[in-house]
Amino acid sequence: MPLFGNSFSPKKTPPRKWASLSNLHFMDRSTREVELGLEYGTPSMNLAGQSLKFENGQWVSESGSFTGDRRELQRLRKRNQQLEEENNLLRLKVDILLDMLSETTAESHLMEKELEELKQHSRRRK
């Protein structure tokens, strides 16, 4: 025998109404595509005169290959690599300069503190 009795009995939920009253559910897929324009096709875009389309997870030139000069592409990649290396070098230099600045600032504060202590010590002797 349960301690509080068996008083829990949930009410039955009422049956659901029809999800939509539109007639789109009665049309087949091809009719819906024609009526609603659901035929999207592959995404495409135009960048700097180069037409690209999205296929199999990658953007591909619509002409099938890169229409620009391969030498220009290699030059741009090389320049990009050089700029990335220069950027990394500059970041390293900034980090080193910040370390040097913090070290110099700490030494300066210590010297100021020692100077103040010496001034106070000399005042006490007088």
Side-chain angles (χ1 to χ4, degrees):
M1 181 170 165
L3 184 62
F4 298 107
N6 193 6
S7 62
F8 181 75
S9 60
K11 295 181 180 178
K12 299 254 182 195
T13 58
R16 293 185 179 183
K17 295 182 179 179
W18 184 253
S20 174
L21 298 176
S22 72
N23 61 356
L24 294 176
H25 295 287
F26 300 116
M27 292 184 196
D28 61 343
R29 183 173 181 212
S30 60
T31 308
R32 275 187 278 177
E33 287 177 356
V34 170
E35 290 289 325
L36 301 174
L38 296 178
E39 186 67 34
Y40 298 118
T42 58
S44 62
M45 66 177 167
N46 189 359
L47 291 175
Q50 181 73 25
S51 296
L52 303 169
K53 61 183 175 180
F54 193 74
E55 288 182 351
N56 300 325
Q58 292 185 340
W59 288 99
V60 179
S61 174
E62 285 189 3
S63 62
S65 65
F66 182 69
T67 59
D69 188 12
R70 290 207 184 273
R71 290 182 192 155
E72 179 70 14
L73 181 62
Q74 287 176 339
R75 187 189 68 77
L76 289 174
R77 284 184 179 157
K78 186 176 180 181
R79 180 69 177 145
N80 188 25
Q81 181 68 26
Q82 289 173 346
L83 290 174
E84 286 178 358
E85 290 173 2
E86 182 181 351
N87 194 15
N88 289 336
L89 179 65
L90 291 173
R91 284 183 181 159
L92 179 65
K93 286 182 178 182
V94 166
D95 287 342
I96 290 171
L97 287 173
L98 285 174
D99 288 345
M100 291 170 63
L101 177 66
S102 61
E103 183 179 344
T104 306
T105 304
E107 288 176 358
S108 171
H109 285 299
L110 284 174
M111 292 174 96
E112 287 176 3
K113 188 176 179 182
E114 287 178 12
L115 183 63
E116 286 296 321
E117 288 176 0
L118 287 173
K119 284 181 181 178
Q120 288 178 358
H121 186 64
S122 67
R123 287 181 193 157
R124 288 182 193 158
R125 284 188 174 179
K126 291 182 180 179

